[in-house]
Amino acid sequence: MSSTNTAAPHLPPMQASERWLLRACLLLPLATLVLFFGVPMLAIAWRSLVQDTGGIGWGNYAALLDTPGVWRALANSLLLGAVTTAVTLVLAFVVAFGLERTCMPGRRFVAGALALPMLAPSLVLGLGLIFLLGRNGIVGKLLGVRPEIYGFWGLLIADVLYALPQAVLIVRTALRQGDARQFVEDYAAKGNCCIGTTAEAIAYIQDLLDRSGGFGTFLLLGGEPLEHGGGF
């Protein structure tokens, strides 16, 4: 009985130009990251330690912690982040499963519509929600009501819409490459919104990163307008 040789094919050694190209592809993005992210962050950290008297210490941080409302703002941010992440993961799985594992009509339209929030900054998304769901928005005029979009619920809607497309892409990739039945069983066994699979963990981290960078919606929807009864 003959046996077949399953050894991996021998790869030719890399030439000097290929090694330099590989180093450039690794070092140039790393240097850009350090220059445009690491250096400014270090400068901000250093400035935060410089006190008004010129000395170095933790006085600025102590004053910040004593600022009225800072702990309430922290609690609101954590609550908004947790609720947004949970809602986004559940909706992302439902949408991704419908796109990958069903024959629902309009799949191309849904996939195209999901790409729109990724093409626009969060400021545009916030303005769109105000024009649509604001006190004088389209929905309010059609229904004869004045929706309250400012505050927690408006931020929740905006954050979910902002993070949903990227979460859907991650879960769709997992569904496309893995076994559908096993994925659904694992997802259901963990409560549908808990982190259990690699795709869920990546989507969770991506959502938290999105929350740290989408300041436009917070500026537009995070509080009351200048006039309590006015505005959109």
Side-chain angles (χ1 to χ4, degrees), residues 22 85 192:
L22 178 60
T85 301
N192 295 340

Side-chain angles (χ1 to χ4, degrees), residues 183-209:
F183 188 91
V184 174
E185 291 177 354
D186 293 341
Y187 206 92
K190 296 176 176 64
N192 295 340
C193 62
C194 299
I195 301 176
T197 64
T198 304
E200 291 169 337
I202 296 175
Y204 178 80
I205 296 172
Q206 182 65 50
D207 182 56
L208 291 181
L209 293 176

Side-chain angles (χ1 to χ4, degrees), residues 6-221:
T6 59
H10 178 71
L11 298 178
M14 297 180 60
Q15 299 180 1
S17 59
E18 295 176 341
R19 288 195 296 269
W20 280 107
L21 179 61
L22 178 60
R23 294 171 184 173
C25 292
L26 294 176
L27 295 179
L28 287 179
L30 180 60
T32 303
L33 181 63
V34 172
L35 179 62
F36 291 99
F37 182 78
V39 174
M41 291 300 296
L42 289 176
I44 294 174
W46 172 255
R47 291 290 300 271
S48 67
L49 297 175
V50 179
Q51 304 184 34
D52 296 336
T53 58
I56 305 299
W58 303 98
N60 294 329
Y61 292 94
L64 176 63
L65 295 179
D66 291 335
T67 303
V70 65
W71 293 107
R72 181 182 177 184
L74 177 61
N76 291 337
S77 299
L78 294 177
L79 176 62
L80 180 62
V83 176
T84 301
T85 301
V87 174
T88 301
L89 288 180
V90 173
L91 293 180
F93 173 77
V94 173
V95 175
F97 189 86
L99 292 175
E100 290 294 329
R101 300 298 183 183
T102 68
C103 297
M104 70 175 190
R107 286 185 298 173
R108 293 184 178 180
F109 174 78
V110 174
L114 284 173
L116 295 179
M118 294 189 296
L119 302 177
S122 59
L123 183 65
V124 176
L125 178 60
L127 287 174
L129 285 176
I130 291 177
F131 291 141
L132 183 64
L133 300 175
R135 294 170 180 170
N136 294 322
I138 298 175
V139 174
K141 292 181 178 179
L142 292 177
L143 300 179
V145 297
R146 291 176 64 87
E148 184 57 52
I149 195 66
Y150 301 99
F152 177 83
W153 297 109
L155 290 174
L156 177 62
I157 296 174
D159 288 347
V160 169
L161 292 177
Y162 188 75
L164 184 62
Q166 300 174 63
V168 169
L169 289 177
I170 296 171
V171 179
R172 284 188 67 183
T173 302
L175 286 173
R176 189 181 300 116
Q177 296 179 354
D179 181 70
R181 179 173 297 179
Q182 185 64 35
F183 188 91
V184 174
E185 291 177 354
D186 293 341
Y187 206 92
K190 296 176 176 64
N192 295 340
C193 62
C194 299
I195 301 176
T197 64
T198 304
E200 291 169 337
I202 296 175
Y204 178 80
I205 296 172
Q206 182 65 50
D207 182 56
L208 291 181
L209 293 176
D210 289 340
R211 297 304 98 239
S212 64
F215 297 110
T217 54
F218 288 91
L219 294 175
L220 292 173
L221 304 175

